[in-house]
Amino acid sequence: MRASRSPTHRWTTLGSIVARVGLVLLGSLVGLLLVPASDGAASAGSKHRQITEADRAFWSFRPVANPTPPSIKNESWCRNDVDRFVLARLESEELTPAPEADRTALIRRATFDLTGLPPTPAEVDAFVCDQSPDAYGKLIDRLLASPRYGERWARHWLDLVRYAESDGFKQDAYRPNAWRYRDYVIRSLNEDKPYDRFVCEQLAGDEMWPDDPNALIATGYLRHGLYEYNQRDVPKQWSEMLIDVTDVTGDALLGLSMGCARCHDHKFDPILQTDYFRLQAFFAPVLPRNDYPVVTHEQKEKYDTARAAWEEKTESIRAKIRAIEQPTIDAAAKAAMKKFPTDLQAILHKPEADRSPQEEQWAQLAMRQVYDQDENPQPKIPAKDKPAYANLKKELASYDSLKPEPLPLALVATDVGPVAPPTFVPGHPDQPLKPGIPVVLEDPQQGELHIEATATSTGRRTALAKWITRADNPLTARVIVNRIWQYHFGRGLVATSSDFGHLGTPPSHPELLDWLARRFVADGWSFKKLHRLIMTSATYRQSAVRDMPEVARMKDPDDRWLWRFATHRLEAEQIRDAMLAVSGELQPASGGPSVDDSVPRRSIYTKVLRNHPDPVLEAFDAPESFGSICTRNCTTTATQSLLMINGDWPLKRAAAFAKRVRHDAASADPRALLETAYRLAYGRSPNADERQGGTEFLKSGDIDQTLTDFCHVLLNSNEFLYVD
């Protein structure tokens, strides 16, 4: 049995632990030397560093520039303006770009990139034989229009927002409605929802579009954190939940490592401790909801009408059932309440109208441990009452034809009300903070953010969402276009894609980054237009098969300046899905509740359990979802080889692959079998040496067994697991 893992398990290697400890110690030392004694921005009674003009002049805090694509010598190489920025840097360093990849490599690269699946032999043939000048552009358009696009690119976003379908900690309970958020992300990407709308829905969909079920589901962004089912210190757990969403928002949306400022002013970046808690104040009023139906107003009215009719017919029966159940429920609730500290018990016994907003948040979080109808649907009935209870239940069931189907529920969030609980810097409870943005990003001409409360909500998250998605925000567009670039090339123009601060790396092509950010906003925050722009560039279409020039060896061995395309291993989900695709087992169904990893659906639709992940995905570095993941590890381990060679799951895929090869080849001729296997696995025909060696192997024993073994070899090969 595998050991349960805590959230800190994300630091999985000794090296990363040592590096993190060293960074903390170094930061503390530098902080002692650098933090000035003079007062800085207004804070909760403590000394803070001053935010200077030099701080505001740091590259990521400056307004996004509007650069003109540079002039270059080799005009003929460029396919769009992206190439001008890249080639200008190459020419300045006396480097030349690689030639264009061949068509088989291009379609395999683009198809895996946009859909996460390998191209079929028919798709390869159609593209290779299409001699029209816009053949490649049509390929990109087809892939972007595929519903598989959203299934692939949703996984990138889910990494960022720490999506999982279980609570974490030891119990790791399953969250049955979490999948609705995953489907929301897939739908949004397939529809090419503008990124500014996408972000606003997730931060404040309940406030900005309360009648839109999709916008309500989007607030699941606020619900992906860990939950400890038996944590009696409810205020502590609530604080940890606020810390989680604050940190993720800084990392994922702003590219700022805010967590360091939770305990003190950031030692390297101009982020104050008060900045951290002013950001947290936007989320302070949040109330997690598991009971909120995600339907339109009309659907809710129709349900309420039908429900009222059913309740009227069954009132007397349900009253008798309640009379039997309630004493048991009350006794269980009383026993559960006694497990909490006395001060929290007092809050739980208060009438709801007498609780403060914070007390109401704590009470609702605690009541999940007291009695939850979803988690405890069948109360314990005394033996003497069981016969009568069973008869009443049977009588109630006779009215099921009148009872409407339950409304769909999702993990969503609203505000606790129009008044927010106070937010303080720890140790300064006498000085509540207003919500606000980091001082270094404040614009005196704009003034404070406008926050407008409603009868049911504070409006704070709306104000935050509008600020984050402002066209002149210096971080938002830069951060997301850099992520898109990273997912296409394996590394962002800023390599540290969630840290645009002093501890991160500066952009390799700063003018290109700003040009892309401006273009992205001008194009309506469209992901698909950005994909097309990047993927139709000559930069993206370069070959990966190129010897390293001597000048590159001396100046740029890591290919930061993009003098070739970088070969990279498929991600965990791509490996699993590709094996199912070539074996012919992959089920094409989209959406809906998640399934066990034994079901041959796409990995995006399998259950994401923090402490019990799919072994195949775990072996190939799928994230554990304890926090925001901007860049996945890419390891090479003995575990991977042992799994692929001896694991039951890969062996079954090899057998299914061989069965498909026999069917598609429609011949027992080893040469026909070999041709079919290569085209399915690699998208190409075998060369002369491969054909000779493969044919000899297939003839060396029982054809069924040798074909299965051969297919197993193809699935284990670098050509299958890597993309050029």
Side-chain angles (χ1 to χ4, degrees):
M1 182 180 295
R2 51 181 292 122
S4 296
R5 293 175 291 183
S6 72
T8 55
H9 187 73
R10 75 191 74 166
W11 301 97
T12 54
T13 67
L14 179 60
S16 62
I17 294 172
V18 172
R20 185 166 172 82
V21 171
L23 184 59
V24 170
L25 293 176
L26 177 61
S28 299
L29 176 60
V30 174
L32 292 173
L33 298 174
L34 295 184
V35 175
S38 59
D39 287 338
S43 65
S46 60
K47 301 293 185 181
H48 284 263
R49 63 168 290 177
Q50 290 183 330
I51 302 301
T52 67
E53 288 306 311
D55 290 326
R56 293 186 172 89
F58 186 69
W59 73 265
S60 62
F61 301 137
R62 292 198 302 265
V64 176
N66 189 19
T68 300
S71 300
I72 37 87
K73 299 174 184 176
N74 186 10
E75 287 279 357
S76 63
W77 181 74
C78 298
R79 292 183 177 273
N80 61 37
D81 285 339
V82 169
D83 300 323
R84 294 179 178 278
F85 290 98
V86 173
L87 188 57
R89 183 57 188 267
L90 291 177
E91 290 181 344
S92 71
E93 301 295 340
E94 300 180 327
L95 286 163
T96 57
E100 184 166 301
D102 66 64
R103 286 203 162 197
T104 301
L106 275 179
I107 187 173
R108 191 168 187 271
R109 177 190 302 172
T111 306
F112 266 119
D113 207 348
L114 288 179
T115 71
L117 296 169
T120 66
E123 289 170 342
V124 175
D125 288 345
F127 176 62
V128 170
C129 295
D130 186 350
Q131 297 303 311
S132 61
D134 62 342
Y136 181 74
K138 290 188 297 184
L139 167 67
I140 300 303
D141 290 339
R142 175 177 65 80
L143 295 173
L144 287 171
S146 168
R148 308 286 85 85
Y149 158 75
E151 294 171 348
R152 167 59 185 154
W153 280 78
R155 186 61 258 176
H156 294 312
W157 185 258
L158 298 181
D159 282 6
L160 283 173
V161 300
R162 83 276 188 225
Y163 172 83
E165 296 172 30
S166 67
D167 287 342
F169 293 105
K170 185 174 181 179
Q171 189 198 38
D172 205 32
Y174 184 61
R175 299 174 175 177
N177 291 320
W179 62 270
R180 294 190 192 279
Y181 176 85
R182 174 252 290 155
D183 278 7
Y184 156 80
V185 175
I186 293 172
R187 262 194 320 274
S188 298
L189 295 177
N190 278 333
E191 295 168 0
D192 199 20
K193 181 175 292 181
Y195 181 64
D196 56 344
R197 169 77 184 232
F198 185 59
V199 168
C200 286
E201 287 179 345
Q202 294 177 70
L203 289 172
D206 60 305
E207 292 182 336
M208 300 177 75
W209 300 280
D211 296 324
D212 183 350
N214 281 320
L216 295 173
I217 293 170
T219 63
Y221 164 82
L222 305 168
R223 299 292 310 280
H224 298 318
L226 306 184
Y227 170 70
E228 194 168 8
Y229 77 102
N230 61 351
Q231 171 61 278
R232 311 304 180 198
D233 189 347
V234 172
K236 177 184 177 182
Q237 177 158 230
W238 183 251
S239 174
E240 290 172 344
M241 293 166 76
L242 288 178
I243 288 168
D244 165 77
V245 73
T246 306
D247 290 351
V248 169
T249 299
D251 287 346
L253 302 183
L254 298 174
L256 292 179
S257 182
M258 298 289 294
C260 290
R262 178 159 57 95
C263 301
H264 48 70
D265 290 350
H266 201 292
K267 301 302 183 185
F268 299 96
D269 291 332
I271 302 173
L272 308 179
Q273 188 180 22
T274 49
D275 288 340
Y276 182 89
F277 287 97
R278 291 201 306 156
L279 178 61
Q280 189 175 104
F282 287 106
F283 302 108
V286 164
L287 185 69
R289 300 288 297 272
N290 293 349
D291 61 339
Y292 206 96
V294 284
V295 293
T296 63
H297 180 70
E298 292 75 15
Q299 290 171 318
K300 183 66 165 55
E301 281 190 339
K302 183 178 179 181
Y303 171 84
D304 288 345
T305 300
R307 176 83 185 190
W310 173 80
E311 288 179 349
E312 182 181 358
K313 292 283 187 182
T314 60
E315 174 55 35
S316 61
I317 303 171
R318 291 184 295 108
K320 295 174 184 177
I321 290 174
R322 280 197 303 271
I324 296 174
E325 290 180 339
Q326 203 62 45
T328 307
I329 293 172
D330 290 344
K334 185 177 180 180
M337 286 185 185
K338 288 183 177 179
K339 297 178 181 179
F340 293 104
T342 54
D343 56 345
L344 188 61
Q345 290 184 46
I347 293 172
L348 295 178
H349 286 103
K350 270 187 182 183
E352 184 176 333
D354 294 341
R355 295 173 186 157
S356 70
Q358 187 151 76
E359 287 175 340
E360 180 62 20
Q361 290 171 318
W362 292 346
Q364 294 218 20
L365 186 59
M367 287 303 291
R368 291 171 65 178
Q369 300 181 44
V370 174
Y371 185 78
D372 188 321
Q373 182 65 39
D374 293 329
E375 296 180 8
N376 307 279
Q378 183 62 53
K380 294 180 180 179
I381 304 300
K384 66 182 180 63
D385 295 328
K386 284 186 176 179
Y389 186 75
N391 288 333
L392 287 168
K393 283 286 193 177
K394 185 176 180 180
E395 185 179 357
L396 183 63
S398 67
Y399 290 90
D400 281 354
S401 61
L402 299 177
K403 186 178 181 180
E405 288 293 320
L407 293 175
L409 302 175
L411 300 181
V412 303
T414 63
D415 268 8
V416 69
V419 178
T423 299
F424 311 98
V425 172
H428 300 278
D430 58 332
Q431 298 185 38
L433 295 172
K434 293 181 179 180
I437 66 175
V439 173
V440 72
L441 294 172
E442 287 182 339
D443 183 350
Q445 296 181 349
Q446 296 286 343
E448 292 186 356
L449 296 185
H450 176 66
I451 299 176
E452 185 175 349
T454 66
T456 58
S457 198
T458 65
R460 289 187 174 192
R461 286 177 287 116
T462 295
L464 176 64
K466 288 181 177 179
W467 172 74
I468 287 178
T469 57
R470 270 174 38 180
D472 63 348
N473 187 311
L475 291 170
T476 307
R478 277 181 176 138
V479 168
I480 193 60
V481 300
N482 184 68
R483 294 195 194 283
I484 300 300
W485 188 277
Q486 171 193 315
Y487 298 138
H488 281 304
F489 288 94
R491 178 169 47 195
L493 298 170
V494 179
T496 51
S497 53
S498 281
D499 191 350
F500 276 38
H502 287 81
L503 292 178
T505 60
S508 59
H509 300 73
E511 296 84 4
L512 174 57
L513 178 63
D514 279 11
W515 185 84
L516 286 170
R518 279 190 170 269
R519 174 72 177 261
F520 180 60
V521 174
D523 281 343
W525 303 79
S526 166
F527 279 133
K528 289 191 176 182
K529 290 180 181 178
L530 181 60
H531 288 306
R532 198 179 196 285
L533 178 66
I534 291 172
M535 296 183 71
T536 55
S537 69
T539 304
Y540 180 85
R541 295 167 67 166
Q542 289 181 93
S543 174
V545 183
R546 179 190 185 184
D547 291 334
M548 184 181 295
E550 185 59 28
V551 64
R553 192 184 312 276
M554 298 296 294
K555 292 185 175 183
D556 187 27
D558 294 332
D559 191 28
R560 290 286 287 134
W561 298 333
L562 303 164
W563 46 269
R564 70 178 174 191
F565 192 85
T567 298
H568 60 276
R569 196 193 70 197
L570 298 176
E571 290 184 357
E573 294 85 356
Q574 292 174 303
I575 291 172
R576 180 181 178 275
D577 294 353
M579 292 173 73
L580 289 169
V582 301
S583 69
E585 300 170 284
L586 186 63
Q587 295 177 359
S590 298
S594 296
V595 298
D596 292 335
D597 53 39
S598 59
V599 179
R601 291 189 66 189
R602 290 205 69 173
S603 301
I604 192 77
Y605 298 122
T606 60
K607 292 178 180 178
V608 183
L609 305 178
R610 285 182 162 112
N611 287 335
H612 299 85
D614 176 350
V616 175
L617 301 184
E618 181 184 32
F620 287 99
D621 306 309
E624 294 170 322
S625 301
F626 290 119
S628 178
I629 301 296
C630 63
T631 306
R632 290 190 179 188
N633 293 329
C634 187
T635 62
T636 301
T637 67
T639 304
Q640 295 165 356
S641 297
L642 291 171
L643 171 73
M644 293 294 287
I645 295 172
N646 300 319
D648 181 64
W649 195 87
L651 287 169
K652 287 179 178 178
R653 305 292 77 74
F657 184 16
K659 182 178 179 180
R660 181 187 181 184
V661 168
R662 286 192 294 271
H663 175 272
D664 288 7
S667 169
D669 180 9
R671 289 171 297 182
L673 297 173
L674 196 70
E675 176 75 15
T676 302
Y678 264 80
R679 284 174 54 75
L680 287 170
Y682 301 154
R684 66 172 179 84
S685 297
N687 61 35
D689 290 341
E690 291 166 338
R691 184 173 288 107
Q692 179 180 347
T695 302
E696 291 175 357
F697 177 78
L698 292 178
K699 291 179 177 179
S700 65
D702 176 77
I703 188 62
D704 289 336
Q705 185 58 53
T706 56
L707 181 58
T708 298
D709 290 343
F710 188 80
C711 288
H712 190 202
V713 169
L714 294 184
L715 297 181
N716 273 270
S717 66
N718 279 350
E719 188 170 354
F720 184 79
L721 298 172
Y722 283 75
V723 170
D724 291 333

